[in-house]
Amino acid sequence: MKIVRRIGVPPSARGSTSGANCPDVFELSDGNFAVIGTEATETLDGELPSDASRADYERIVVITRETLIRAKADIPDA
């Protein structure tokens, strides 16, 4: 599995002066997506709706609204 491309704009285009430690979204060679975000599993796990769950190996991460909105145009419809 490899990163194929960034989805959205780079952190520098979202106001990061260093481009480091910023949320990001990437498309992977297997068609899945990888997200860099702030780990928030402990904080949000109890807030999940009753019809949502996560496996022990999964984590809840938070990305900024702007990161996802700026990625929207690059997310394939199918």
Side-chain angles (χ1 to χ4, degrees), residues 9-69:
V9 298
S12 59
R14 296 190 312 267
S16 173
T17 56
S18 68
N21 300 323
C22 292
D24 228 330
V25 182
F26 300 95
E27 185 172 1
L28 304 177
S29 58
D30 65 0
N32 287 317
F33 295 89
V35 177
I36 297 173
T38 303
E39 208 285 330
T41 304
E42 186 175 319
T43 302
L44 295 176
D45 201 42
E47 299 293 321
L48 290 173
S50 61
D51 61 348
S53 64
R54 63 170 189 84
D56 288 342
Y57 57 86
E58 295 175 321
R59 299 290 173 261
I60 300 170
V61 298
V62 175
I63 61 172
T64 64
R65 178 180 180 82
E66 183 179 6
T67 300
L68 190 57
I69 288 171

